[in-house]
Amino acid sequence: MDIQILPSLLAADHGMLAAEISRAFRSGADALHIDVMDAHFVPNLSYGPDVVSLCRRVEPSFYRHVHLMMTRPDLYLKVFADAGAQTIQIHVEADCDLHVELPRIRELGARPAIVLNPETPIEAVFPYLAMCDEVLVMTVHPGYGGQTFVTDCLPKIAALRARAPRIDIMVDGGINASTALDAVRAGANRLVAGSFLFGQADMASAVSSLRAVCASAC
Ligand code: DX5
Ligand code: ZN
Protein backbone atom coordinates (compact mmCIF):
# COMPACT_ATOMS: atom_id res chain seq x y z
CA MET A 1 0.00 0.00 0.00
CA ASP A 2 1.13 3.55 -0.52
CA ILE A 3 2.74 5.15 2.50
CA GLN A 4 1.98 8.77 3.31
CA ILE A 5 3.75 11.14 5.69
CA LEU A 6 1.72 13.98 7.21
CA PRO A 7 3.19 16.81 9.31
CA SER A 8 0.84 17.90 12.10
CA LEU A 9 0.41 21.67 12.05
CA LEU A 10 -0.10 21.68 15.84
CA ALA A 11 3.69 21.52 16.25
CA ALA A 12 4.33 24.48 13.92
CA ASP A 13 5.52 27.90 15.10
CA HIS A 14 2.13 29.66 15.30
CA GLY A 15 3.81 33.04 15.09
CA MET A 16 4.60 32.33 11.45
CA LEU A 17 1.88 29.91 10.44
CA ALA A 18 1.85 30.71 6.72
CA ALA A 19 5.61 30.15 6.43
CA GLU A 20 5.30 26.91 8.40
CA ILE A 21 2.56 25.61 6.09
CA SER A 22 4.86 26.30 3.13
CA ARG A 23 7.82 24.68 4.90
CA ALA A 24 5.76 21.52 5.41
CA PHE A 25 4.64 21.56 1.77
CA ARG A 26 8.20 21.99 0.46
CA SER A 27 9.44 19.14 2.67
CA GLY A 28 7.91 16.64 0.26
CA ALA A 29 5.29 15.46 2.75
CA ASP A 30 2.14 14.02 1.20
CA ALA A 31 -0.51 16.01 3.06
CA LEU A 32 -1.05 18.28 6.04
CA HIS A 33 -2.72 17.13 9.28
CA ILE A 34 -4.74 19.89 10.95
CA ASP A 35 -5.85 19.28 14.57
CA VAL A 36 -9.06 20.96 15.74
CA MET A 37 -9.70 20.84 19.50
CA ASP A 38 -12.81 22.15 21.26
CA ALA A 39 -11.67 22.22 24.93
CA HIS A 40 -14.48 19.75 25.74
CA PHE A 41 -13.72 16.52 23.91
CA VAL A 42 -10.06 17.14 24.80
CA PRO A 43 -8.65 19.50 27.45
CA ASN A 44 -7.14 21.91 24.94
CA LEU A 45 -8.13 24.49 22.32
CA SER A 46 -6.40 24.83 18.99
CA TYR A 47 -7.92 26.55 15.97
CA GLY A 48 -10.94 26.44 13.69
CA PRO A 49 -11.97 26.70 10.04
CA ASP A 50 -10.07 29.94 9.41
CA VAL A 51 -6.79 28.06 9.75
CA VAL A 52 -8.01 25.40 7.30
CA SER A 53 -8.79 28.14 4.78
CA LEU A 54 -5.41 29.73 5.46
CA CYS A 55 -3.78 26.40 4.53
CA ARG A 56 -5.78 26.31 1.29
CA ARG A 57 -4.84 29.90 0.47
CA VAL A 58 -1.11 29.48 1.22
CA GLU A 59 -0.54 26.10 -0.48
CA PRO A 60 -3.66 25.20 -2.51
CA SER A 61 -2.28 21.88 -3.73
CA PHE A 62 -1.20 20.65 -0.27
CA TYR A 63 -3.90 18.10 0.65
CA ARG A 64 -5.70 18.90 3.93
CA HIS A 65 -6.66 16.24 6.51
CA VAL A 66 -8.74 17.75 9.31
CA HIS A 67 -8.83 15.83 12.62
CA LEU A 68 -11.87 16.98 14.60
CA MET A 69 -11.33 16.39 18.33
CA MET A 70 -14.81 17.68 19.10
CA THR A 71 -17.76 16.42 21.15
CA ARG A 72 -20.19 17.55 18.40
CA PRO A 73 -18.30 17.43 15.10
CA ASP A 74 -21.64 17.02 13.30
CA LEU A 75 -22.41 20.71 13.93
CA TYR A 76 -19.26 21.81 12.08
CA LEU A 77 -18.86 19.41 9.15
CA LYS A 78 -20.15 21.85 6.53
CA VAL A 79 -18.08 24.71 7.95
CA PHE A 80 -14.88 22.67 7.67
CA ALA A 81 -15.75 21.26 4.24
CA ASP A 82 -16.41 24.80 2.99
CA ALA A 83 -13.09 25.93 4.48
CA GLY A 84 -11.21 23.36 2.40
CA ALA A 85 -11.03 20.16 4.45
CA GLN A 86 -10.48 17.28 1.99
CA THR A 87 -10.49 14.43 4.50
CA ILE A 88 -12.58 14.92 7.65
CA GLN A 89 -11.80 12.66 10.59
CA ILE A 90 -14.36 12.26 13.38
CA HIS A 91 -14.02 10.27 16.58
CA VAL A 92 -16.02 7.14 17.31
CA GLU A 93 -16.26 8.49 20.89
CA ALA A 94 -17.97 11.74 19.73
CA ASP A 95 -21.56 12.49 20.65
CA CYS A 96 -23.17 11.98 17.24
CA ASP A 97 -24.46 9.19 15.01
CA LEU A 98 -21.60 8.07 12.77
CA HIS A 99 -23.98 6.12 10.55
CA VAL A 100 -25.43 9.51 9.61
CA GLU A 101 -22.36 11.74 9.76
CA LEU A 102 -19.82 9.64 7.81
CA PRO A 103 -22.05 9.54 4.69
CA ARG A 104 -22.74 13.25 5.18
CA ILE A 105 -19.00 14.00 5.03
CA ARG A 106 -18.91 12.30 1.62
CA GLU A 107 -21.99 14.23 0.47
CA LEU A 108 -20.14 17.42 1.43
CA GLY A 109 -17.36 16.43 -0.99
CA ALA A 110 -14.76 15.23 1.52
CA ARG A 111 -13.28 11.82 2.36
CA PRO A 112 -14.79 10.39 5.55
CA ALA A 113 -12.51 8.93 8.21
CA ILE A 114 -13.05 7.60 11.69
CA VAL A 115 -10.73 8.02 14.69
CA LEU A 116 -10.39 6.03 17.90
CA ASN A 117 -8.65 6.83 21.17
CA PRO A 118 -6.01 4.54 22.73
CA GLU A 119 -8.41 3.09 25.32
CA THR A 120 -11.16 2.33 22.76
CA PRO A 121 -11.21 -1.26 21.47
CA ILE A 122 -10.71 -1.65 17.73
CA GLU A 123 -14.04 -3.49 17.45
CA ALA A 124 -15.77 -0.13 18.05
CA VAL A 125 -15.00 0.98 14.48
CA PHE A 126 -15.97 -2.28 12.76
CA PRO A 127 -19.64 -1.30 12.19
CA TYR A 128 -18.51 1.79 10.22
CA LEU A 129 -15.75 0.40 8.00
CA ALA A 130 -17.95 0.23 4.91
CA MET A 131 -18.73 3.95 5.14
CA CYS A 132 -15.25 5.38 5.65
CA ASP A 133 -12.03 5.40 3.60
CA GLU A 134 -9.61 5.60 6.46
CA VAL A 135 -9.24 4.81 10.17
CA LEU A 136 -7.01 6.96 12.35
CA VAL A 137 -5.65 4.99 15.31
CA MET A 138 -4.58 7.45 18.01
CA THR A 139 -1.28 6.37 19.54
CA VAL A 140 -1.38 9.04 22.27
CA HIS A 141 -4.24 10.43 24.34
CA PRO A 142 -5.47 13.29 22.15
CA GLY A 143 -5.08 16.91 23.14
CA TYR A 144 -1.37 17.66 23.00
CA GLY A 145 1.64 17.14 20.81
CA GLY A 146 4.96 15.82 22.02
CA GLN A 147 3.65 12.81 23.99
CA THR A 148 5.05 9.28 24.10
CA PHE A 149 3.74 6.63 21.67
CA VAL A 150 1.41 4.13 23.38
CA THR A 151 2.73 0.74 22.23
CA ASP A 152 -0.42 -1.02 23.46
CA CYS A 153 -2.10 0.37 20.32
CA LEU A 154 0.00 -1.76 17.95
CA PRO A 155 -2.16 -4.91 18.25
CA LYS A 156 -5.22 -2.79 17.36
CA ILE A 157 -3.54 -1.73 14.10
CA ALA A 158 -2.74 -5.35 13.29
CA ALA A 159 -6.30 -6.47 14.06
CA LEU A 160 -7.74 -3.73 11.86
CA ARG A 161 -5.37 -4.56 8.97
CA ALA A 162 -6.45 -8.22 9.20
CA ARG A 163 -10.11 -7.19 9.14
CA ALA A 164 -9.79 -4.53 6.39
CA PRO A 165 -6.82 -5.25 4.08
CA ARG A 166 -7.50 -2.30 1.74
CA ILE A 167 -8.43 0.49 4.15
CA ASP A 168 -6.02 3.33 4.89
CA ILE A 169 -4.76 3.11 8.47
CA MET A 170 -3.28 6.29 9.88
CA VAL A 171 -1.41 6.62 13.16
CA ASP A 172 -1.16 9.87 15.11
CA GLY A 173 0.89 10.62 18.20
CA GLY A 174 4.47 10.01 19.24
CA ILE A 175 5.65 9.10 15.74
CA ASN A 176 9.42 9.19 15.14
CA ALA A 177 11.76 6.97 13.08
CA SER A 178 11.54 4.14 15.61
CA THR A 179 7.79 4.15 16.35
CA ALA A 180 7.06 4.66 12.62
CA LEU A 181 8.72 1.33 11.93
CA ASP A 182 6.60 -0.41 14.58
CA ALA A 183 3.41 1.17 13.23
CA VAL A 184 4.10 0.25 9.60
CA ARG A 185 5.06 -3.31 10.55
CA ALA A 186 1.73 -3.58 12.37
CA GLY A 187 -0.12 -2.48 9.22
CA ALA A 188 -0.33 1.32 9.21
CA ASN A 189 0.24 3.15 5.90
CA ARG A 190 -0.21 6.81 6.90
CA LEU A 191 1.93 8.48 9.53
CA VAL A 192 1.18 11.78 11.24
CA ALA A 193 4.18 13.40 12.92
CA GLY A 194 4.12 16.75 14.68
CA SER A 195 7.10 17.45 16.92
CA PHE A 196 9.36 14.98 15.06
CA LEU A 197 8.96 16.86 11.75
CA PHE A 198 8.42 20.49 12.76
CA GLY A 199 11.19 20.22 15.35
CA GLN A 200 13.86 19.72 12.67
CA ALA A 201 15.52 22.59 10.84
CA ASP A 202 15.60 20.37 7.74
CA MET A 203 12.10 18.92 7.54
CA ALA A 204 12.72 17.44 4.09
CA SER A 205 15.45 15.18 5.51
CA ALA A 206 13.16 14.13 8.34
CA VAL A 207 10.40 13.24 5.86
CA SER A 208 12.93 11.27 3.81
CA SER A 209 14.14 9.43 6.90
CA LEU A 210 10.57 8.39 7.71
CA ARG A 211 10.06 7.22 4.12
CA ALA A 212 13.27 5.16 4.31
CA VAL A 213 12.10 3.54 7.53
CA CYS A 214 8.74 2.70 5.97
CA ALA A 215 10.40 1.25 2.85
CA SER A 216 12.52 -1.02 5.04
CA ALA A 217 9.37 -2.37 6.71
CA CYS A 218 7.50 -3.15 3.48
C1 DX5 B 1 -2.76 15.04 19.37
C2 DX5 B 1 -2.86 15.36 17.91
C3 DX5 B 1 -1.66 15.00 17.13
C4 DX5 B 1 -0.40 15.71 17.54
C5 DX5 B 1 0.75 14.78 17.28
O1 DX5 B 1 -3.97 15.23 19.97
O2 DX5 B 1 -3.97 14.68 17.34
O3 DX5 B 1 -1.89 15.18 15.73
O4 DX5 B 1 -0.20 16.92 16.87
O5 DX5 B 1 1.91 15.36 17.77
P1 DX5 B 1 3.24 14.52 17.98
O6 DX5 B 1 3.63 13.94 16.67
O7 DX5 B 1 4.20 15.55 18.51
O8 DX5 B 1 2.92 13.45 19.00
ZN1 ZN C 1 -4.21 14.68 15.13
Side-chain angles (χ1 to χ4, degrees), residues 7-14 17 20 23 32-35 37 47 144-146 192-200 203:
S8 169
L9 193 63
L10 195 65
D13 180 343
H14 289 195
L17 215 40
E20 289 284 76
R23 183 163 77 100
L32 187 62
H33 181 85
I34 306 167
D35 288 302
M37 304 178 183
Y47 29 66
Y144 299 93
V192 175
S195 41
F196 178 73
L197 292 179
F198 276 99
Q200 320 255 352
M203 197 190 296

